[in-house]
Amino acid sequence: MIRQAAAAILSGQRRSLASVARASANHHGYLPNTHSPIVAKPHFFNSVTEDGQQIPTYRVLDGTGKPLDGAELPEVNETLAHKLYENMQLLPTLDNILYNVQRQGKISFYMTSYGEEATIIGSAAALDMEDEVLGQYREMGVLLWRGYTLDKVMAQCFGHSEDLGKGKQMPVHFTAPEHHFHTISSPLGTQIPQAAGVAYALRRTPERRSRSIAACYFGEGAASEGDFHAGLLLASTIPSPALFIVRNNGFAISTPSTEQFYGDGIASRGPGYGIDTIRVDGNDVLAVLAAVKEARRRCLEQGRAVLLEAMTYRVGHHSTSDDSFAYRARSEVEDRKRIDNPITRFRLFMESQGWWNAEREEDLKARLKADVLKAFKRAESMPRCELKELFADVYGGEEPWNIKAQREELKGLLRKYGDSWEPWQTELAKFKNKGRDLLD
Amino acid sequence: MYARSARPLRRAANVLARFNSTTVEPPPAGGHLPSVATSQLLRTTRESALRAPRIKWIDEDSTGPVKPVVGGRETRKMNTYQAVRDAMRYGGESCLNSSGSKKCSIVLLKDDNAVVFGEDVSFGGVFRCTMGLAEEFGRERVFNTPLTEQGIVGFGIGLAAMGHTAIAEIQFADYIYPAFDQLVNEAAKFRYRSGGAYNAGGLTVRTPTMAVGHGGLYHSQSPEGFFMGAAGLKVVIPRSPIQAKGLLLAAIRDPNPVVFMEPKVLYRSAVEQVPIDDFELPLGSAETLVAGADLTVLTWGTPVYHCEAALHMLANPPPSIATHVPSAVRGAKIELIDLRSILPWDVETVTESVKRTGRLVIVHEAGMTAGAGAEIAAEVQKRCFLKLNAPVKRVTGWDTPCGMQYEKFNIPDAIRVLDAMVETLSY
Ligand SMILES: Cc1ncc(C[n+]2csc(CCOP(=O)(O)OP(=O)(O)O)c2C)c(N)n1
Ligand SMILES: [Mg+2]
């Protein structure tokens, strides 16, 4: 009993001491470890809503940018609106250019955010700049919101010498501790239980305990990984302020979400883990902003996890390796774009407030494009890091003998063949100092 | 899920797996470096394809006479992904229908109990290996799974436990680790722990493997070594279209669970004439590709072609590096062996060769430490100790993750194999 009471205190709020005492007096309704009411008729259920309907979706602005009846607008002034809009527009500007740069063979890979601008920017805007972010890969917009420069975007995508990750990962695998942005990892779902740990660490750090949460992004496809279930379970059972933001964009590469799950989206899983959950229109930047704000507030207030499912649509191909018209009709994509464009929706709202007009639109687009092109041009001619970085950062602390020995082995080979073997000469030329750091 | 190309989007098949455009070193001016496309090891004529060593024809009517003959058989030009796909159309063997009688038509064709599944399999898979199969055989038999590798392999084990033929795809070998528990603790131990009462032999897990030149940490790995200790599993890596088809059919029908790793750079770049009939190539058996007497080079998968190039360079070094190839070693007869089956591996063929040549170089893309080469080197030194004229040498990836921009100096290439051969020959 004492242990139970202590657990109730530790887990905070949901069951008060008094209720534990009451339950024990009632012998838990005759069941050993649950408060489940006893009924005399068999009752199957397959819904998390009281009326058996689908989980509703929270929306503030309709497709034409008009507030819904009864919807409360989040606090947005002209300055914030401009910042939201500018970042939403910056994403496709970068996407257009980097997609083509990949097509020209100048970078090896790229992934666009087309269609998901409101989900990404709206959520970024609702987070505190010091909230820890664990992304999947389509969340470059969070970094942009936090002031990650275009030069840094280019450095990572080109893998050149200014890339903090030293060109070790494929494009869009950003790492930015200065922006509390954890390194992107290709294996799907791995960041989800990590976010529970990050959030628990925040809880245990006095000066961040009531200020910072862990925000974890992933796709509806990644939510099928075992790590999703592990992560939500841990974050709820070992209470920690983790906000799980699932971008339900309808596809995991070619697999439509109808083949990814049979239940009511990802949101239906939250209550299974005892987690406060909301579904939001991911194409409505104000709804996303308001929902993430409230979700974040709950994380902090309760010290517990929250799940937010943003309903959106992946307008672009999965990546530059994909041609989505092999599995969905071009017309489906065109229809979606026409029916609902998150950027247009917000622009219409801004125009209705007198905050935006065609002239500003043109100026913005021209400026963003010029900025991105400038950063691209700068990156294009930059060398890679020094070649010796190949062996760096495998371990911290003392470097084991095998890594040392292998570096020496490569040095020996480079000294022998680096100046004469044409394929190596060509490759060495791409590195800072042309590989001399290992050659000489 | 990446590719590098300057060409515009054209066909899906073109785009989804375009690894070969930059992954093979462009031949240098001298033109002496055989690329995969011009490899002498590929069987590009019908005659040579039908005479692939140890090919075993599995003829449609198993009650009829065996046709060992070459005459009358056809081949078709296929790349590796097409050959893999062709095998799956045949794969599977439990030719019993529900009433228990034989009914061999032909696997998805021959075996009603065969199913093919994995992430993005329905539309053809990201490397096109299952292209058209869902249309041909229906979505009950060829289907997408949710995105869960542990689920995919566990599901496949369940099917196999019920006597069905499960052909599962893990989208990249780099993503096989969520399924490690199901493979190592379950599939591998299924037979042993039940005293033979149950087995997961009907499970085959196909997965694309090895580096392509720009895949970085998570699209370049060669995890075969991690399975070396998982007795009960088999691990197979083909080098070409004919090999892929014959070995995959054998893997599907083998009474044990098999992890079948397909080198992704070869999906498009390796092209052969492939027999259109049902045939198998033996598991657990290496193939000697070039006979020699002075040094054995043992490898599997993509590096087979780097080794082939290195053999040419040794005999006929390009002028720029000729000083590093003493004339004394240029006439050396090198024996090149494709291990093909990594677990169990063909210790007989390897040690017989090393006892003759006295020298062994092992080449693999995975890191050196505890890579498959470590196991092989240990056994070879035990069995061939008194015949060895030089230490067994390993040419491998370094013990680092595969950093994207550093890949060309990480993954072993022809020049590193050449250097290892020269060193071992002059030891
Ligand atoms: C463990 C693992 N399995 C498979 C993959 C290959 N893969 C990369 S992205 C992707 C689809 C992910 O879809 P989703 O989570 O919905 O995110 P979205 O791309 O829609 O943003 C797949 C299968 C991977 N990266 N990691
Ligand atoms: Mg998705």
Side-chain angles (χ1 to χ4, degrees):
Chain A
M1 197 66 265
I2 290 172
R3 264 192 62 215
Q4 229 176 319
I9 293 168
L10 265 182
S11 68
Q13 348 35 61
R14 284 201 310 166
R15 251 170 283 147
S16 69
L17 258 184
S19 79
V20 170
R22 209 168 36 243
S24 70
N26 292 344
H27 305 288
H28 295 180
Y30 310 110
L31 293 170
N33 42 32
T34 172
H35 301 278
S36 171
I38 304 293
V39 293
K41 290 259 168 3
H43 173 63
F44 291 83
F45 63 98
N46 187 0
S47 169
V48 295
T49 60
E50 275 137 47
D51 53 4
Q53 297 293 300
Q54 280 210 308
I55 297 166
T57 302
Y58 168 59
R59 171 184 286 173
V60 172
L61 297 179
D62 70 14
T64 66
K66 286 203 198 68
L68 255 59
D69 281 347
E72 203 176 302
L73 284 177
E75 265 179 53
V76 179
N77 59 22
E78 188 173 349
T79 316
L80 177 59
H82 281 183
K83 188 175 175 194
L84 286 167
Y85 190 71
E86 180 165 337
N87 277 278
M88 282 170 75
Q89 280 288 14
L90 179 53
L91 275 176
T93 312
L94 265 165
D95 285 351
N96 291 344
I97 288 169
L98 285 173
Y99 192 87
N100 284 318
V101 164
Q102 193 281 337
R103 288 283 159 233
Q104 294 160 18
K106 291 176 182 165
I107 60 176
S108 57
F109 175 82
Y110 189 68
M111 299 178 103
T112 65
S113 304
Y114 296 129
E116 298 180 51
E117 296 89 351
T119 295
I120 298 163
I121 299 302
S123 58
L127 297 175
D128 185 82
M129 292 290 193
E130 292 190 1
D131 287 341
E132 300 291 321
V133 170
L134 295 91
Q136 176 159 309
Y137 47 56
R138 225 182 281 282
E139 297 90 7
M140 180 173 72
V142 177
L143 276 172
L144 298 173
W145 180 268
R146 291 183 173 201
Y148 193 75
T149 63
L150 293 176
D151 284 338
K152 287 185 180 176
V153 169
M154 295 295 166
Q156 199 289 326
C157 290
F158 279 82
H160 70 55
S161 56
E162 287 176 10
D163 172 29
L164 193 59
K166 299 177 184 166
K168 293 193 173 169
Q169 292 221 72
M170 283 168 60
V172 311
H173 289 59
F174 298 100
T175 185
E178 74 278 20
H179 294 297
H180 301 272
F181 191 96
H182 293 240
T183 314
I184 300 296
S185 173
S186 313
L188 288 167
T190 48
Q191 79 278 22
I192 305 173
Q194 291 170 13
V198 165
Y200 195 66
L202 288 171
R203 207 183 144 103
R204 299 205 61 243
T205 307
E207 64 280 13
R208 300 190 70 184
R209 187 187 169 99
S210 55
R211 284 205 301 116
S212 298
I213 66 162
C216 179
Y217 290 87
F218 47 92
E220 87 293 339
S224 295
E225 291 284 359
D227 272 351
F228 164 87
H229 302 277
L232 266 74
L233 179 62
L234 282 163
S236 76
T237 307
I238 305 166
S240 40
L243 172 54
F244 298 103
I245 301 175
V246 52
R247 299 179 286 98
N248 185 342
N249 63 7
F251 289 92
I253 309 185
S254 76
T255 305
S257 57
T258 49
E259 292 175 37
Q260 197 63 245
F261 45 75
Y262 184 67
D264 188 0
I266 310 301
S268 62
R269 302 175 194 172
Y273 292 112
I275 290 178
D276 285 0
T277 300
I278 187 168
R279 175 175 287 158
V280 55
D281 180 351
N283 285 2
D284 175 356
V285 69
L286 293 186
V288 174
L289 177 78
V292 172
K293 270 212 158 129
E294 171 58 16
R296 184 176 182 281
R297 192 191 65 74
R298 286 172 184 242
C299 278
L300 283 176
E301 185 185 275
Q302 307 174 4
R304 304 197 64 91
V306 175
L307 172 63
L308 183 146
E309 181 177 25
M311 309 306 290
T312 179
Y313 185 82
R314 196 197 76 208
V315 168
H317 302 300
H318 169 70
S319 73
T320 46
S321 308
D322 176 41
D323 173 8
S324 65
F325 302 134
Y327 51 82
R328 61 179 183 181
R330 200 179 280 266
S331 58
E332 175 192 322
V333 181
E334 290 308 319
D335 285 350
R336 270 273 124 221
K337 276 161 69 176
R338 207 179 45 251
I339 295 165
D340 189 15
N341 177 329
I343 298 179
T344 312
R345 212 199 285 195
F346 191 53
R347 182 171 67 234
L348 292 173
F349 169 76
M350 291 208 301
E351 284 172 1
S352 74
Q353 305 292 306
W355 295 344
W356 203 252
N357 56 39
E359 195 185 326
R360 292 186 112 154
E361 177 79 8
E362 245 170 60
D363 288 353
L364 176 69
K365 281 190 167 162
R367 173 162 62 81
L368 294 178
K369 190 169 176 196
D371 290 351
V372 172
L373 281 173
K374 189 172 151 217
F376 155 63
K377 294 235 166 71
R378 178 175 179 276
E380 209 179 3
S381 57
M382 301 275 288
R384 297 174 182 177
C385 289
E386 288 190 324
L387 179 56
K388 66 169 189 247
E389 298 290 350
L390 193 169
F391 295 99
D393 301 318
V394 180
Y395 288 92
E398 197 191 332
E399 185 173 69
W401 65 268
N402 55 323
I403 308 285
K404 286 200 182 94
Q406 291 177 10
R407 183 192 294 104
E408 287 310 307
E409 189 179 335
L410 179 59
K411 270 189 189 172
L413 288 163
L414 288 170
R415 283 187 193 130
K416 242 166 147 177
Y417 305 104
D419 289 325
S420 50
W421 178 237
E422 192 269 338
W424 279 16
Q425 284 175 303
T426 313
E427 192 69 5
L428 283 169
K430 299 174 184 167
F431 290 86
K432 200 165 162 181
N433 304 326
K434 315 255 179 282
R436 298 317 310 181
D437 52 301
L438 287 191
L439 264 160
D440 297 331
Chain B
M1 282 323 309
Y2 50 87
R4 181 192 195 98
S5 168
R7 282 173 290 166
L9 268 172
R10 250 177 266 130
R11 289 178 302 125
N14 236 350
V15 180
L16 274 151
R18 193 185 293 140
F19 290 94
N20 47 342
S21 56
T22 57
T23 45
V24 180
E25 289 289 357
H32 54 266
L33 182 69
S35 70
V36 176
T38 59
S39 169
Q40 305 286 306
L41 302 174
L42 294 167
R43 295 174 182 268
T44 52
T45 64
R46 173 178 169 275
E47 277 303 299
S48 62
L50 294 175
R51 294 180 197 286
R54 300 195 57 190
I55 194 164
K56 178 177 149 202
W57 302 103
I58 310 295
D59 284 314
E60 287 177 27
D61 180 3
S62 48
T63 56
V66 184
K67 282 193 286 176
V69 283
V70 160
R73 297 197 189 271
E74 284 176 46
T75 63
R76 200 179 325 120
K77 191 172 164 187
M78 293 184 205
N79 62 26
T80 310
Y81 82 69
Q82 291 163 335
V84 165
R85 178 183 169 280
D86 202 51
M88 281 188 280
R89 295 183 72 247
Y90 284 94
E93 198 205 17
S94 49
C95 293
L96 296 179
N97 65 20
S98 49
S99 60
S101 60
K102 281 256 179 200
K103 52 124 225 192
C104 284
S105 61
I106 298 184
V107 185
L108 289 165
L109 285 171
K110 275 187 176 177
D111 175 3
D112 265 349
N113 280 331
V115 291
V116 172
F117 55 94
E119 293 157 19
D120 302 296
V121 156
S122 290
F123 94 115
V126 298
F127 291 103
R128 314 319 281 141
C129 294
T130 53
M131 198 159 52
L133 294 183
E135 288 79 359
E136 186 174 355
F137 297 101
R139 295 211 162 202
E140 186 180 315
R141 300 187 61 201
V142 180
F143 51 89
N144 285 341
T145 63
L147 217 168
T148 165
E149 291 74 17
Q150 63 187 101
I152 290 166
V153 174
F155 187 88
I157 292 172
L159 279 161
M162 297 302 287
H164 289 229
T165 302
I167 307 171
E169 175 174 314
I170 298 295
Q171 201 163 81
F172 284 86
D174 310 62
Y175 304 135
I176 206 165
Y177 306 112
F180 203 65
D181 192 36
Q182 287 288 352
L183 284 167
V184 174
N185 268 335
E186 297 299 316
K189 298 175 173 58
F190 227 66
R191 188 187 304 276
Y192 190 82
R193 74 186 186 193
S194 66
Y198 279 94
N199 73 80
L203 172 67
T204 305
V205 178
R206 297 179 36 251
T207 189
T209 191
M210 300 194 178
V212 301
H214 50 265
L217 276 75
Y218 302 112
H219 297 84
S220 307
Q221 296 179 37
S222 292
E224 66 271 13
F226 287 116
F227 294 101
M228 290 288 282
L233 278 186
K234 293 190 176 182
V235 179
V236 178
I237 303 181
R239 71 168 184 279
S240 75
I242 295 174
Q243 298 292 311
K245 179 172 174 181
L247 290 169
L248 181 54
L249 279 164
I252 290 168
R253 292 158 179 163
D254 191 86
N256 301 284
V258 180
V259 178
F260 193 83
M261 299 181 169
E262 301 159 1
K264 51 189 172 283
V265 77
L266 303 179
Y267 275 135
R268 295 169 158 275
S269 58
V271 178
E272 289 183 314
Q273 286 291 330
V274 179
I276 59 168
D277 287 342
D278 187 348
F279 69 93
E280 292 177 12
L281 291 167
L283 304 190
S285 157
E287 183 182 350
T288 303
L289 302 179
V290 180
D294 302 316
L295 164 72
T296 304
V297 173
L298 175 66
T299 188
W300 51 90
T302 310
V304 164
Y305 300 95
H306 302 319
C307 292
E308 183 193 18
L311 260 59
H312 288 274
M313 284 158 65
L314 181 77
N316 192 8
S320 63
I321 55 162
T323 53
H324 300 298
V325 185
S327 40
V329 302
R330 294 183 194 179
K333 299 264 175 299
I334 310 298
E335 183 144 305
L336 176 60
I337 301 179
D338 175 5
L339 192 62
R340 301 197 289 194
S341 278
I342 314 305
L343 181 71
W345 61 281
D346 185 352
V347 71
E348 287 304 322
T349 298
V350 174
T351 53
E352 185 280 325
S353 171
V354 177
K355 280 178 186 161
R356 269 188 292 108
T357 63
R359 295 178 163 91
L360 175 63
V361 170
I362 304 169
V363 183
H364 61 61
E365 288 195 2
M368 167 96 69
T369 299
E375 180 58 35
I376 295 164
E379 193 62 25
V380 164
Q381 69 84 25
K382 188 186 93 183
R383 296 197 185 205
C384 310
F385 187 65
L386 294 174
K387 305 276 187 182
L388 283 172
N389 298 318
V392 177
K393 189 158 179 88
R394 286 177 285 162
V395 184
T396 69
W398 311 119
D399 287 338
T400 69
C402 189
M404 185 180 76
Q405 298 288 51
Y406 309 87
E407 199 166 320
K408 289 213 169 58
F409 294 109
N410 180 6
I411 300 300
D413 58 1
I415 193 85
R416 278 180 59 194
V417 177
L418 171 71
D419 189 76
M421 290 195 299
V422 171
E423 288 222 341
T424 305
L425 286 165
S426 7
Y427 185 81

